[in-house]
Amino acid sequence: MSPPAGEPGRRPTIKIVAWDDSQLCQLTPPKLSAMSHDVFGFGAEVARRLLTVLKGGTPATGPVATPVLTPRESTAPPARTT
């Protein structure tokens, strides 16, 4: 008996976490767990620090926002089959 359609490609993706959350992460089977980033906030902070440097100042140092894990099916336990 042959495996169900898509099974050979599904097995290697059971424990995948995408680095950047996108709509594709929610649409692909299995739905991919992903790291969510505040892209706009990160860009704004980079711009502030760059403007400080361009004005001859010393940019602030410190941490940026921490990415957040959005767990989905790709990191869930396998579904039980009967």
Side-chain angles (χ1 to χ4, degrees), residues 35-59:
M35 299 300 292
S36 298
H37 308 270
D38 179 6
V39 176
F40 296 107
F42 183 73
E45 183 60 29
V46 169
R48 279 191 289 276
R49 293 180 188 195
L50 177 60
L51 289 173
T52 300
V53 170
L54 292 174
K55 292 177 183 176
T58 302

Side-chain angles (χ1 to χ4, degrees), residues 21-79:
D21 199 5
S22 70
Q23 287 184 337
L24 287 176
C25 293
Q26 299 174 41
L27 298 174
T28 57
K31 293 177 182 170
L32 299 177
S33 296
M35 299 300 292
S36 298
H37 308 270
D38 179 6
V39 176
F40 296 107
F42 183 73
E45 183 60 29
V46 169
R48 279 191 289 276
R49 293 180 188 195
L50 177 60
L51 289 173
T52 300
V53 170
L54 292 174
K55 292 177 183 176
T58 302
T61 59
V64 294
T66 303
V68 176
L69 175 64
T70 304
R72 295 192 182 97
E73 295 168 352
S74 69
T75 54

